[in-house]
Amino acid sequence: MSELTNRVREYRARDRISQSDLAARIGASRQTIALIERGDYSPSVVLALKIAAVFQVKVEEIFALQGGHSDE
């Protein structure tokens, strides 16, 4: 089984954006950002795309599948 990994915390630190600020920019709660960063919540495609847009990178730069096969 594949697990979604992410680099949200890394990108937030790079850009000096708080969880609350990121949440406000994408229309989510701070708690949602915390859950995503911990890997306890997989965001929807729309939410993942919004996060990538804030950091001006492709979604694949932030989110990736770990384990399993990428063609599943």
Side-chain angles (χ1 to χ4, degrees):
M1 184 171 186
S2 299
E3 181 178 325
L4 186 67
T5 62
N6 74 78
R7 298 170 62 196
V8 175
R9 182 176 286 132
E10 180 182 330
Y11 276 92
R12 276 196 317 98
R14 179 196 76 176
D15 293 356
R16 293 185 166 101
I17 297 173
S18 70
Q19 287 181 340
S20 296
D21 188 30
L22 177 58
R25 291 185 192 195
I26 65 169
S29 69
R30 186 206 56 79
Q31 291 84 355
T32 297
I33 302 303
L35 289 170
I36 291 170
E37 288 183 3
R38 285 198 318 254
D40 292 339
Y41 177 75
S42 294
S44 68
V45 172
V46 171
L47 205 54
L49 288 168
K50 287 180 177 181
I51 291 169
V54 167
F55 298 119
Q56 298 180 336
V57 297
K58 293 181 180 180
V59 72
E60 297 90 350
E61 293 291 319
I62 298 177
F63 297 96
L65 289 177
Q66 183 171 355
H69 298 288
S70 61
D71 61 352
E72 288 181 1

